[in-house]
Amino acid sequence: RFFGLWQRDDHPFMQFVAPESGRGPVREHPDYIRVAGDQQPFAGDPNDPLLLPWASEVIVDINRRQLIEEEVILPAHSLCWPSGVPGALRMREPVRLLQTEDIVTITYQRDHQVRRVHLNRSHFENVPKSWYGESVGHYEGDTLVVDTIGLNDRTTADWYHTPHTENLHVVERYRVIDGGSKLEVQFTVTDPGAFTAPWTAKVHYRNLGENAQFNEVICAENNKDASTGVDYPVPMGDLTAVAF
């Protein structure tokens, strides 16, 4: 029911869309609102009441380093690190969902990242912490509900580098809308160690059509120039120089 390739198209910066009502994600800093064409860093609002004091201090430090000291702080996928949950929902490259009887495999074009959602079973006890944690799922009508725990604290919750703890719990709801032309993912984040309340957001993907290709996007590890913060180009071999 999720056949095809899907790509984010609902926000120019791949940010999360706040719900029509209820508590949404951390807000953008009111003094640094990005507009189309901006090259300035993402800046979260450290005074957002959603943040616990220690998390607010992290945002203050991140903003200082980026906006004042002009340090380049790259997102996880630019460093070849797994994006985690809900971080994977920020990636602009296509995603594909592959359904079998007892598992849904979510594959991201970016960096060969893969998630596996085990259907119709409960979480194991004492789930070890990892980049993508443990995801279990079930269907509610036409909606795939994905429940993820066991996440490590090395990822960030959004473009503002908002931190979280290992108690992060994310529930995603995937459903195809608009006659199959769009995929909507609404998700709720709970982490009492970082946030004062659960928060909800959503993203939309468009169906790229039956002729779309799932290309290989390789990330070369250790590709950040420590002196400039700029990514090194991915090494490419010269096939014309190879003798067959």
Side-chain angles (χ1 to χ4, degrees), residues 51-209:
L51 297 168
L52 287 177
W54 76 269
S56 176
E57 292 174 3
V58 170
I59 297 299
V60 168
D61 181 63
I62 291 289
N63 289 347
R64 174 186 56 79
R65 291 161 58 192
Q66 292 196 120
L67 300 171
I68 299 177
E69 299 178 4
E70 298 185 349
E71 178 181 348
V72 177
I73 302 178
L74 299 173
H77 58 258
S78 289
L79 297 170
C80 307
W81 296 346
S83 295
V85 186
L89 298 172
R90 303 197 310 259
M91 289 189 284
R92 70 176 65 248
E93 291 84 5
V95 58
R96 170 175 281 159
L97 284 74
L98 303 174
Q99 170 83 60
T100 60
E101 182 178 355
D102 57 0
I103 193 169
V104 174
T105 302
I106 306 176
T107 60
Y108 302 95
Q109 180 172 285
R110 179 80 182 211
D111 305 345
H112 310 96
Q113 297 192 51
V114 176
R115 296 174 61 192
R116 293 176 176 84
V117 181
H118 301 274
L119 297 177
N120 303 318
R121 74 162 175 83
S122 302
H123 287 293
F124 290 126
E125 294 186 11
N126 303 316
V127 176
K129 307 303 181 183
S130 63
W131 293 97
Y132 274 112
E134 180 190 57
S135 294
V136 299
H138 66 275
Y139 279 97
E140 295 180 0
D142 62 353
T143 300
L144 172 64
V145 181
V146 180
D147 187 298
T148 303
I149 63 172
L151 295 154
N152 65 32
D153 60 1
R154 299 179 64 184
T155 63
T156 57
D158 53 32
W159 280 115
Y160 311 132
H161 301 279
T162 301
H164 62 80
T165 73
E166 292 185 342
N167 292 320
L168 182 68
H169 180 191
V170 183
V171 177
E172 303 156 277
R173 302 178 65 88
Y174 292 75
R175 70 186 184 107
V176 175
I177 61 175
D178 293 350
S181 64
K182 288 187 177 181
L183 173 66
E184 179 182 83
V185 185
Q186 180 170 307
F187 61 97
T188 299
V189 173
T190 303
D191 183 353
F195 306 115
T196 58
W199 55 272
T200 298
K202 60 183 177 181
V203 299
H204 289 100
Y205 296 78
R206 63 185 173 92
N207 193 321
L208 295 179

